Amino acid sequence: MAENEINTLVVRKPCFGLPTGCTQCLSAYLYLKFAQLPFQLDFHLNYPDSDQIPYFEVGNYVAYNNEKGGVIDCLKRDVGVVDLDSGISSLPDWIQTKAMLTTWLADALAYELWVGSEGYSSSPAYTIYYSDLSWPLGKVLFWRKARWIKQKHGINNENAELKKEEIYRRAKSAYGALSTWLGEQSYLFDNRPSSLDATFLAHGLVVLQALPESSVLRSKLLEHANLVRYVQQCKTEFIDDNPTPTYSWQFHTAGSSSTSSRSTSSSKTKSKPKREKTEEEKTFKRRSKYFVAAQLVAVVVFITIMTSFDDAEVDLDE
Amino acid sequence: MTNTLNHNAAQNDDVVHPEPEDDEQEDEEEEDDDDDDVLPNLRTPQSPASKLQQQRFKVETLARRLSSEMVPIRVHDVLVNGNTKTKDWVIEAELKGIETATTMQDLMRACEAAIARLQALEIFDSCKVRLEPGPKELPNTANVVVDVVEANNTVSGECGVYTKPSTSSWSLECALKYKNLLGYGDIWDTSLAYGGSQATELSLGVYAPRIKRLLTPIVARIMLVSQDWQEFSSYKEQLLGASIGLISTKHHDLVYTLGWRTLTDPSQTSSRSIRRQLGHSLLSSLKYTFKMDRRNSSIRPTRGYAFLSTTHLGGLSPDHRSLRFLRQMTSFSAVFPWGQGFMNKTSPLPERFYLGGDFSPVCTLGGPTTLWGFKTRGLGPTEPRRQSRNRADDNNSDSPGWDFIGGDLAVTAFADLSFDLPIKWLREHGIHGHVFAGSGNAAKLTQNEYKHFSPRKFLESFRTSVGCGIVIPTRLFRLEGNYFHILRKDEHDRGKTGFRFSFSAPS
């Protein structure tokens, strides 16, 4: 199998003992682990503000996270990855839990990373997203994201404390509801892993591993022993067994080699009936552009030559 | 009395030496001692007719002296008048050679050169140099008086079409200039350029001929550049940065650039290696260009040689995370990254070599970029773009298309034989024919690809094209109507046999 035919999940930087420090990337990682799809990790480190990451590559096929449903839905549709949510994704409890995870908990973590932290360098966001960018670039992008989060929540100087309390209160309620829902089970729904487990576990791992001990959000999560147990169990099973991939500057080379002109491409069928029409139109447009350009050039050349001819006459007169 | 005669002599000078078109005016006045030797009847009153005769005699004598012998003179003082905003030292710096002139002829030449340099500053409406006699106690001396009139209209606009050999494209540029804001002869300009590959550039620049003791002019520019390579390589490039010209002479040019470069792919169809390079990077680089052009013409060179070498070094910052690369371009070029583990790293996408373009390599000194018959970025290493999503439906899916990812090593060569045409009218206007052949290739070396590189394979995969055509050189550009025949090209190269017009500007 050629190197680029290997399933590759491209994620953000591995840090804090995790295969990747970004929750969305980690959630995709965990889902693929649950689905038992073999894959390798690769890293894209200089694009912290991209919504395309994580993306999944195999051969020339790519599933980006900003496409319909996210990277996991694309994989379920196109690659045939197991749908772990079948039978449970239409339940009302499912939808409520999903809403809680993707809004209240995600917002709380984003707030903690970008706004609640004490500064750029001390924030875990720096390590996860910006540590591979030059300082001025990272600083500007961090500030831009912090400003976006404040705008999203309508935070200003007057209501900053109120908003902060509201965000943490909601996170606390969410943790309480999840803890009650989970109970002593191993997974959130039907005692089997699903995409919501991947989402929550990714959130929990980042909160417990990346956030400092002084973090409010972290302390709120630690109040629920069963949630902590649930996260630790996942870590043992899916993270610790697979040591963090060695990260170095060679991230570009992991399983990559450009095909270049030496590769044998798939057979190219050049004539397709449904494209002929548009090809003709394009040719026609191109030819008309050339015609107009030729006219213009002829006029310019004529003027220039005639001008130089006139100049020559004037010289002779003098 | 003597002074009056001298003044009259100056007036008659206007008759004998008509003023040249650029308002250069030199009032030449006799030294006092010479007057005494030459003029008879100094103290007796004279009729206007005989005065005129005497003046004419004086001037003829002076002219004879100047043409037959070196007239010794010494410059006592150089005075500058008329500058209200411009600093004195800015003008004085352009008056080199005047103070050290030892003969009248040298002095006149130095004055002409000084006037040309002052006018080249573009901040004066007129510049005049007058010679006046020095103090009486110092014979054979003269004072040089420079009269300048500062430009009334400090704001001017310009519009033009320029070539960009680096991207093989033209750009339309409009600029607004503000002259002499600080009195240093500085010219501030804001320009907007729009060009091929939907390149747009908005920039603010300043040019100052000198700052106190610094010998080279100061050239600084802040720019926002955006280029769309979506069609060829599935990415868009944006650069927000500043550049400073450190050295700028006829042969040498050194520029430092600091910028924030972002590569994006809104279409999300890019190939693998381009996809991995999307994102942000800090560019901190020095670019040194050595240029020697001994061709007799850049539109139709028939004699001489030209050499261009550009060395571009990126990564000049204490931060190891900035873009690091070394790009060398002469007739034989190579690009490779540097820094820890550089053998495994890939070279930055925009710094690679992309061959192809419409410019004629005959008059464009841009390095190994153009190759007759191939479109912009039309040849070189390629990668398949992203395949359509529905993999189960392969038969109906469109082929993905190919990205040109550029090479780290590029070599091109060309030969062009031009000949005059038999028709006289065509010959008179410089219209001539030419036959040509060109060859080129680009290869990827980074990311351990150099291990697979073989010179024999590289030579065997050289693309070649031949052709013939007619060249119409004009003052501004060189228009060619050519028929190309591609002898060898690779499967994905974008080059076609056929007839094409192209025009390129000399550089």
Side-chain angles (χ1 to χ4, degrees):
Chain A
M1 191 191 265
E3 272 193 57
N4 59 344
E5 291 294 324
I6 299 173
N7 296 338
T8 307
L9 182 68
V10 182
V11 295
R12 294 208 162 95
K13 184 175 178 171
C15 49
F16 302 110
L18 298 169
T20 171
C22 159
T23 42
Q24 284 178 322
C25 300
L26 191 55
S27 128
Y29 172 90
L30 287 171
Y31 186 93
L32 292 178
K33 284 291 181 190
F34 291 156
Q36 294 175 343
L37 181 79
F39 66 96
Q40 67 177 17
L41 278 182
D42 205 347
F43 305 97
H44 197 143
L45 303 175
N46 66 331
Y47 208 176
D49 53 336
S50 165
D51 54 0
Q52 296 170 353
I53 301 172
Y55 53 90
F56 187 89
E57 298 174 333
V58 54
N60 294 336
Y61 169 79
V62 185
Y64 288 107
N65 199 43
N66 62 351
E67 288 169 340
K68 192 175 169 197
V71 64
I72 297 302
D73 273 12
C74 290
L75 290 178
K76 285 182 201 172
R77 241 185 358 250
D78 302 336
V79 177
V81 166
V82 169
D83 183 2
L84 298 172
D85 304 335
S86 63
I88 46 177
S89 57
S90 49
L91 297 173
D93 291 324
W94 169 277
I95 293 165
Q96 284 168 12
T97 312
K98 185 165 182 175
M100 210 165 49
L101 288 174
T102 52
T103 54
W104 287 5
L105 289 185
D107 287 348
L109 182 58
Y111 179 91
E112 188 83 354
L113 288 174
W114 275 279
V115 183
S117 60
E118 284 165 8
Y120 171 61
S121 314
S122 55
S123 164
Y126 164 77
T127 312
I128 300 168
Y129 297 96
Y130 307 109
S131 57
D132 289 286
L133 285 179
S134 295
W135 178 85
L137 272 59
K139 190 100 176 127
V140 171
L141 290 171
F142 178 92
W143 174 81
R144 233 164 53 183
K145 176 87 179 192
R147 199 172 73 122
W148 180 83
I149 291 172
K150 284 182 185 168
Q151 278 176 347
K152 181 181 171 188
H153 295 289
I155 300 174
N156 52 40
N157 287 338
E158 285 86 34
N159 65 10
E161 276 304 312
L162 281 171
K163 288 285 180 183
K164 183 177 161 185
E165 277 171 23
E166 186 186 327
I167 288 170
Y168 285 134
R169 194 176 54 242
R170 284 184 178 169
K172 185 177 171 168
S173 316
Y175 286 145
L178 280 168
S179 175
T180 310
W181 179 263
L182 180 69
E184 295 305 319
Q185 296 177 96
S186 304
Y187 298 101
L188 286 172
F189 284 89
D190 220 16
N191 228 11
R192 55 182 167 100
S194 64
S195 63
L196 284 193
D197 292 286
T199 310
F200 175 73
L201 288 167
H203 169 92
L205 282 166
V206 172
V207 167
L208 290 176
Q209 303 267 123
L211 293 183
E213 287 184 7
S214 55
S215 155
V216 172
L217 193 65
R218 188 171 187 268
S219 56
K220 290 200 188 306
L221 181 57
L222 285 171
E223 288 168 12
H224 302 278
N226 64 338
L227 291 179
V228 175
R229 171 198 49 84
Y230 172 44
V231 170
Q232 289 289 2
Q233 206 174 321
C234 164
K235 182 167 177 282
T236 314
E237 198 176 334
F238 295 106
I239 311 275
D240 291 342
D241 283 350
N242 306 294
T244 308
T246 50
Y247 159 67
S248 69
W249 270 108
Q250 285 106 348
F251 70 90
H252 286 298
T253 66
S256 79
S257 72
S258 85
T259 53
S260 81
S261 52
R262 281 191 292 272
S263 71
T264 53
S265 67
S266 55
S267 62
K268 295 167 71 69
T269 49
K270 286 191 181 162
S271 55
K272 298 233 184 273
K274 65 179 177 179
R275 293 185 78 194
E276 266 176 19
K277 222 179 185 177
T278 49
E279 283 288 338
E280 270 176 21
E281 278 175 17
K282 279 183 193 169
T283 320
F284 177 72
K285 278 186 188 164
R286 208 177 345 123
R287 282 188 185 151
S288 58
K289 274 187 209 165
Y290 285 155
F291 178 73
V292 171
Q295 297 289 311
L296 201 66
V297 164
V299 167
V300 169
V301 168
F302 176 78
I303 291 172
T304 315
I305 289 181
M306 286 301 116
T307 316
S308 63
F309 189 59
D310 288 340
D311 282 348
E313 282 183 352
V314 169
D315 287 336
L316 282 173
D317 288 344
E318 283 181 359
Chain B
M1 186 72 100
T2 310
N3 289 338
T4 313
L5 283 168
N6 288 343
H7 181 64
N8 288 339
Q11 283 175 338
N12 287 332
D13 267 350
D14 292 338
V15 174
V16 175
H17 301 289
E19 287 180 4
E21 288 171 0
D22 59 350
D23 285 339
E24 180 184 336
Q25 182 183 355
E26 289 182 23
D27 298 338
E28 297 177 5
E29 301 179 350
E30 295 283 356
E31 295 85 352
D32 296 350
D33 292 346
D34 287 341
D35 291 341
D36 288 338
D37 291 339
V38 171
L39 293 175
N41 302 327
L42 203 60
R43 290 169 191 85
T44 57
Q46 291 170 309
S47 64
S50 65
K51 262 190 205 170
L52 191 62
Q53 211 180 355
Q54 272 180 9
Q55 302 306 329
R56 194 172 284 159
F57 178 73
K58 258 176 63 176
V59 167
E60 281 171 3
T61 313
L62 177 63
R64 213 172 23 252
R65 282 187 73 194
L66 284 175
S67 59
S68 61
E69 65 189 65
M70 304 302 268
V71 179
I73 197 160
R74 193 169 63 80
V75 174
H76 177 254
D77 201 4
V78 179
L79 304 162
V80 177
N81 290 334
N83 56 321
T84 47
K85 206 171 23 163
T86 316
K87 308 275 182 273
D88 281 345
W89 53 263
V90 172
I91 299 173
E92 283 161 11
E94 307 299 338
L95 304 179
K96 282 199 190 68
I98 289 182
E99 280 188 359
T100 52
T102 49
T103 64
M104 197 65 174
Q105 288 86 339
D106 282 347
L107 184 57
M108 283 160 63
R109 270 194 289 271
C111 289
E112 277 178 23
I115 287 173
R117 281 195 295 266
L118 284 172
Q119 283 173 338
L121 292 178
E122 294 182 20
I123 55 175
F124 301 117
D125 275 343
S126 78
C127 312
K128 295 179 191 175
V129 174
R130 281 184 292 125
L131 301 180
E132 285 184 355
K136 280 189 192 154
E137 56 275 15
L138 297 171
N140 285 347
T141 58
N143 285 340
V144 178
V145 180
V146 181
D147 294 314
V148 296
V149 175
E150 285 170 342
N152 244 342
N153 264 347
T154 45
V155 178
S156 68
E158 251 176 42
C159 212
V161 179
Y162 303 92
T163 59
K164 255 181 138 184
S166 54
T167 53
S168 294
S169 63
W170 292 83
S171 70
L172 169 69
E173 200 173 301
C174 298
L176 205 63
K177 288 189 181 180
Y178 191 93
K179 300 179 192 176
N180 215 7
L181 175 70
L182 303 172
Y184 295 120
D186 46 305
I187 298 177
W188 298 78
D189 74 277
T190 308
S191 73
L192 179 64
Y194 180 79
S197 312
Q198 291 173 41
T200 50
E201 181 176 337
L202 177 66
S203 64
L204 170 69
V206 62
Y207 169 84
R210 65 190 65 244
I211 300 287
K212 281 289 179 179
R213 283 182 199 154
L214 285 178
L215 293 174
T216 61
I218 302 289
V219 183
R221 176 149 248 125
I222 296 174
M223 64 249 181
L224 174 62
V225 182
S226 142
Q227 260 191 346
D228 186 350
W229 295 113
Q230 201 76 56
E231 189 190 335
F232 309 107
S233 306
S234 300
Y235 73 89
K236 286 188 178 181
E237 182 187 339
Q238 268 183 324
L239 176 70
L240 170 66
S243 70
I244 301 176
L246 301 171
I247 295 173
S248 178
T249 63
K250 190 174 167 199
H251 294 299
H252 307 278
D253 195 79
L254 186 64
V255 177
Y256 173 74
T257 305
L258 179 67
W260 178 340
R261 178 185 279 161
T262 307
L263 303 180
T264 56
D265 175 22
S267 68
Q268 297 190 172
T269 54
S270 55
S271 56
R272 192 192 185 94
S273 59
I274 292 188
R275 195 185 310 135
R276 298 307 180 84
Q277 291 229 18
L278 301 177
H280 307 274
S281 50
L282 182 76
L283 176 70
S284 168
S285 69
L286 261 183
K287 187 171 179 179
Y288 169 69
T289 308
F290 173 71
K291 184 171 170 177
M292 187 178 295
D293 192 349
R294 295 275 157 89
R295 297 173 297 176
N296 58 343
S297 152
S298 46
I299 296 263
R300 187 190 178 181
T302 56
R303 211 171 30 250
Y305 62 89
F307 176 77
L308 178 83
S309 164
T310 307
T311 308
H312 197 179
L313 179 66
L316 299 171
S317 75
D319 195 341
H320 70 278
R321 298 168 290 191
S322 62
L323 263 184
R324 291 184 159 183
F325 61 89
L326 172 65
R327 184 181 205 249
Q328 171 61 41
M329 192 157 77
T330 53
S331 58
F332 185 80
S333 321
V335 168
F336 51 89
W338 65 281
Q340 205 180 12
F342 75 94
M343 297 292 239
N344 294 326
K345 280 201 238 172
T346 182
S347 50
L349 208 52
E351 306 305 330
R352 295 183 189 170
F353 293 109
Y354 297 92
L355 299 185
D358 286 332
F359 287 165
S360 161
V362 174
C363 59
T364 312
L365 262 192
T369 53
T370 58
L371 196 60
W372 277 298
F374 290 88
K375 294 191 176 173
T376 309
R377 293 202 174 193
L379 69 114
T382 53
E383 253 190 30
R385 284 179 181 159
R386 178 191 183 192
Q387 203 171 30
S388 75
R389 284 177 216 176
N390 203 345
R391 292 181 83 219
D393 211 7
D394 260 338
N395 290 334
N396 291 337
S397 68
D398 297 333
S399 55
W402 293 79
D403 279 340
F404 288 91
I405 59 174
D408 302 313
L409 173 69
V411 178
T412 58
F414 74 90
D416 179 279
L417 177 71
S418 66
F419 49 88
D420 285 327
L421 297 169
I423 301 170
K424 192 181 170 199
W425 186 85
L426 294 175
R427 266 205 307 274
E428 278 169 8
H429 289 93
I431 298 172
H432 57 276
H434 70 149
V435 294
F436 53 84
S439 188
N441 199 2
K444 187 170 186 313
L445 293 179
T446 50
Q447 284 186 288
N448 294 317
E449 284 290 321
Y450 65 92
K451 290 179 185 164
H452 305 298
F453 177 76
S454 131
R456 217 190 81 196
K457 270 193 198 162
F458 186 66
L459 281 173
E460 279 170 7
S461 59
F462 256 72
R463 278 67 151 177
T464 322
S465 65
V466 295
C468 60
I470 292 183
V471 179
I472 304 172
T474 67
R475 265 192 306 225
L476 299 174
F477 55 83
R478 182 182 149 113
L479 169 68
E480 296 183 17
N482 293 322
Y483 175 79
F484 307 105
H485 179 71
I486 312 253
L487 291 178
R488 202 203 164 277
K489 69 170 193 169
D490 262 25
E491 189 186 350
H492 305 297
D493 291 345
R494 296 164 91 227
K496 250 176 22 176
T497 292
F499 188 77
R500 223 155 91 193
F501 274 111
S502 67
F503 45 108
S504 30
S507 64

